[in-house]
Amino acid sequence: MFSDVKYVCMGGTPKRMEKFAYYIMNEIGCKLPAGTTLLDISYQSYRYSMYKVGPVLCLSHGMGIPSVGILLHEIIKLMYHAKCKDPIFFRLGTCGGIGIEGGNLVVSESAVDGLLQPFLELPVLGKLQRKPAILDKKLAYDLKKIQQLDDPFTITVGKTMCTYDFYEGQGRLDGAFCNFTETDKLAFLRKIHEENVVNMEMESLCFAALCHQAGIRGAVICVTLLNRLDGDQVTASKETLNEWQEYPQQLVARYIKKNMTHR
Ligand SMILES: O=P(O)(O)O[C@@H]1C[C@H](O)[C@@H](CO)O1
Ligand SMILES: O=c1cc[nH]c(=O)[nH]1
């Protein structure tokens, strides 16, 4: 059932990935039998959603490293048992921009943790294991290259900070609590910006580490929901956010369409 999978596309929410499944179906010209809808293959798990559209597998991964880590283990095993040949993994996400306004794309060139360390630290059998979080640079720049003049977004290839928390972990003052000031926050955000961090999200470190360990090419493409140098709250309207969430999908669909015939 899965042996023809060439592209695995994942993102946080089941709805986003269902929408992507229908979008990519249209883009690559797959057709459903009349009167049928796409089946969520994983509906009985109540954990994540999974849709298969020809060579494209679309999955939701939930929030944060533990959630995406479990999914990646299971999908990497699936690729192995199905004997898939050289699949490419994409994460289609959202993020906070650092010096980038809302509604633009960041393709991660590399991922670091909240201490700017380029590896995933995981306690295994009572010892801390370090897995290098390495992404495929060529794939990242190939995605940048397919930008079109009329795209409503810019594409920045850069370093992504992956945190264990959305609020304190990303230096927000608007969580339930925090023990730092606006001045402390801005000093931190400016410091990481000087270290070439261009965005913050919560899955790239694990995504990069597990793809690299498995020898799978992977790319993280996120749309910025705000510029964190200007504030903490996501204030764009629901309609605008829904539109922005489609930008990573448009870029990845363009890449898949361009490369499908060659693979
Ligand atoms: O799938 P996305 O990128 O939307 O997930 C981001 C990172 C966290 O899981 C979540 C925080 O709101 O959004
Ligand atoms: O600021 C943001 C926005 C989306 N996701 C994050 O992790 N941070």
Side-chain angles (χ1 to χ4, degrees), residues 91 93-97 161 163 165-166 170 172 200-203 223-226 228 231-232 234:
R91 174 172 129 67
T94 62
C95 66
M161 177 173 275
T163 67
D165 173 49
F166 183 81
Q170 295 188 4
R172 281 189 159 82
M200 277 182 179
E201 47 76 271
M202 295 179 59
E203 289 85 13
V223 68
T224 54
L225 300 187
L226 74 167
R228 287 299 316 286
D232 296 341
V234 177

Side-chain angles (χ1 to χ4, degrees), residues 53-251:
V53 180
V56 185
L57 200 59
C58 311
L59 304 144
S60 65
H61 59 55
M63 284 195 281
I65 286 176
S67 183
V68 77
I70 298 169
L71 179 89
L72 280 165
H73 269 278
E74 295 177 359
I75 300 305
I76 291 168
K77 284 194 292 182
L78 180 65
M79 296 294 102
Y80 173 77
H81 290 297
K83 298 187 171 46
C84 293
K85 210 169 154 280
D86 193 21
I88 301 179
F89 283 23
F90 295 104
R91 174 172 129 67
L92 295 78
T94 62
C95 66
I98 313 288
I100 301 175
E101 301 308 311
N104 291 296
L105 290 187
V106 173
V107 182
S108 306
E109 186 185 43
S110 57
V112 295
D113 70 5
L115 301 172
L116 292 165
Q117 303 184 122
F119 39 76
L120 174 72
E121 282 190 330
L122 190 71
V124 178
L125 302 181
K127 291 195 185 114
L128 210 49
Q129 266 196 11
R130 286 182 168 181
K131 294 176 188 279
I134 299 173
L135 286 162
D136 190 304
K137 284 204 172 59
K138 180 176 180 313
L139 180 58
Y141 283 97
D142 283 350
L143 285 159
K144 161 111 181 136
K145 271 190 221 149
I146 55 171
Q147 164 121 60
Q148 292 175 357
L149 279 176
D150 57 351
D151 281 336
F153 47 78
T154 61
I155 304 178
T156 305
V157 179
K159 199 186 282 181
T160 297
M161 177 173 275
C162 177
T163 67
Y164 287 93
D165 173 49
F166 183 81
Y167 290 98
E168 293 173 280
Q170 295 188 4
R172 281 189 159 82
L173 292 118
D174 63 344
F177 27 69
C178 73
N179 58 358
F180 47 83
T181 64
E182 175 79 18
T183 311
D184 299 333
K185 173 189 85 175
L186 282 174
F188 174 69
L189 294 180
R190 289 198 184 112
K191 173 181 168 298
I192 63 170
H193 196 209
E194 276 165 22
E195 301 272 348
N196 301 318
V197 171
V198 291
N199 68 336
M200 277 182 179
E201 47 76 271
M202 295 179 59
E203 289 85 13
S204 59
L205 198 69
C206 180
F207 178 92
L210 297 202
C211 285
H212 177 68
Q213 189 168 5
I216 288 172
R217 283 187 287 161
V220 180
I221 306 99
C222 290
V223 68
T224 54
L225 300 187
L226 74 167
N227 179 359
R228 287 299 316 286
L229 298 178
D230 294 339
D232 296 341
Q233 303 229 326
V234 177
T235 53
S237 69
K238 203 76 203 141
E239 291 71 37
T240 301
L241 291 174
N242 284 338
E243 188 190 322
W244 286 354
Q245 282 193 41
E246 291 173 4
Y247 295 169
Q249 306 184 8
Q250 290 167 13
L251 190 70

